[in-house]
Amino acid sequence: MTRKLVDVAAGVLLRPDGRYLLGQRGPDTVYAGYWEFPGGKVEPGETPAQALCRELDEELGIRVTHLRPWLRREHLYEHAHVRLHFFEVCAWEGALDDKVHSALDWVEPSSATREPMLPANGPILKALRLPRVMGITDTARLGVDAQLEALDRALDAGLRLVQVREQALDAGARDRFAREVLARTRARGGLVVVNGDIELAQAIGADGVHLPARRLMALSERPAFQWVGASCHDRAELEHAAALTLDYALLGPVLATDSHPGAASLGWSGFSALTEGLPMPVLALGGLSPAVMETARDARAHGIAGIRGIWG
């Protein structure tokens, strides 16, 4: 049976401490007792952003002053086929005055979620656990010892996502280096993904694997890791990453880089256009540092990835 496609706007309200808001559906609603992100149906003549601002005013009594388009996902329920437009709601006016939910709760991304959760919202919870900054290792420039020292400094400063990309090291040195990165990052509660080498990622027990674009496009199914991401350069690669249900993608270069002088860059408008409507988070890459985080997120990026901008 064909179900009518219903557009729904959903808001991820974010506090400065990183917690996000969930609401528990009331007793007289479909999926009563399930937890969800606040929002509602897009009415005729509304954009999803306009619908979300209206819904948050009606449901929670707040007036949105800053929101960012984030992810778009589709889900087929028994009663409806929904297309959910997720926005990060970064600032609002007024105190929460809930009018429709049985309960509200501010949730820490790294903690256990609230159950039961609306099925369409499940993947969003994992996306919210993805750190906003990725550091990509660079022993070819820094050397192993200096890279590990830089890693420690970055981890102490809050870095929680590291990509090991060291094709220039021989197999033994790469294995030792990757294990050391994993031990240091895990000790701070962070995640490590290994670039390209699925066997090495499995051998050391890494959290996941990061696929170069050529490897991504050759695959027809997702590798069996908790976290799988890929480097992308165009919309076709991004859409293939989405089709494989990858957890994130890197897209760039956004700005000019010292490592590729003269190479064409996307700019923030190009990045935003390529990432519109995707179901997974995309980290911006190329000439970036944490100083541009707000600019990146306003351009639809989940966060940023970098080499020199992370290690110095």
Side-chain angles (χ1 to χ4, degrees), residues 18-278:
R19 291 176 181 264
Y20 57 85
L21 185 70
L22 291 178
Q24 188 176 36
R25 294 177 66 85
D28 298 326
T29 61
V30 178
Y31 284 96
Y34 279 68
W35 291 86
E36 65 177 357
F37 292 97
K41 182 180 176 182
V42 179
E43 300 294 346
E46 287 183 320
T47 66
Q50 291 168 339
L52 180 61
C53 291
R54 173 184 54 76
E55 288 282 351
L56 294 181
D57 188 6
E58 294 172 358
E59 291 186 4
L60 302 178
I62 60 173
R63 291 159 298 285
V64 174
T65 58
H66 187 190
L67 81 168
R68 296 169 169 134
W70 189 36
L71 308 181
R72 189 169 72 198
R73 301 188 64 89
E74 293 191 21
H75 190 84
L76 190 63
Y77 287 104
E78 292 181 2
H79 68 288
H81 178 191
V82 296
R83 179 165 56 198
L84 294 118
H85 305 259
F86 287 93
F87 293 82
E88 292 184 341
V89 182
C90 312
W92 58 89
E93 295 176 344
L96 294 179
D97 179 19
D98 187 51
K99 300 175 177 65
V100 299
H101 296 99
S102 296
L104 295 176
D105 199 5
W106 290 99
V107 180
E108 164 62 44
S110 62
S111 68
T113 186
R114 303 301 175 261
E115 295 291 349
M117 190 78 189
L118 274 184
N121 290 334
I124 300 301
L125 301 180
K126 186 174 185 182
L128 286 166
R129 300 205 317 268
L130 181 71
R132 301 283 179 171
V133 178
M134 172 189 280
I136 303 171
T137 63
D138 188 21
T139 63
R141 179 174 64 93
L142 297 174
V144 170
D145 291 341
Q147 173 65 88
L148 292 174
E149 291 174 3
L151 172 64
D152 284 336
R153 290 193 299 271
L155 291 170
D156 289 342
L159 181 70
R160 292 296 180 267
L161 178 59
V162 180
Q163 180 193 148
V164 176
R165 188 181 69 174
E166 298 298 343
Q167 290 89 344
L169 294 177
D170 64 50
R174 186 165 65 250
D175 182 285
R176 291 190 296 273
F177 175 74
R179 290 180 187 275
E180 189 64 34
V181 170
L182 182 63
R184 296 180 187 216
T185 306
R186 283 264 177 87
R188 271 84 155 194
L191 303 172
V192 173
V193 295
V194 175
N195 183 292
D197 194 335
I198 291 177
E199 292 74 20
L200 176 60
Q202 291 171 331
I204 69 171
D207 299 287
V209 64
H210 183 90
L211 305 169
R214 63 184 182 280
R215 186 77 175 271
L216 164 70
M217 299 306 286
L219 290 179
S220 58
E221 62 181 25
R222 171 195 169 105
F225 287 88
Q226 179 185 10
W227 293 93
V228 183
S231 293
C232 298
H233 308 91
D234 56 35
R235 183 70 184 193
E237 291 172 352
L238 288 166
E239 289 181 352
H240 191 60
L244 294 180
T245 68
L246 300 197
D247 300 300
Y248 71 88
L250 303 189
L251 176 64
V254 176
L255 304 179
T257 66
D258 292 337
S259 58
H260 297 84
S265 56
L266 298 171
W268 290 117
S269 60
F271 179 94
S272 181
L274 284 175
T275 55
E276 182 178 2
L278 291 173

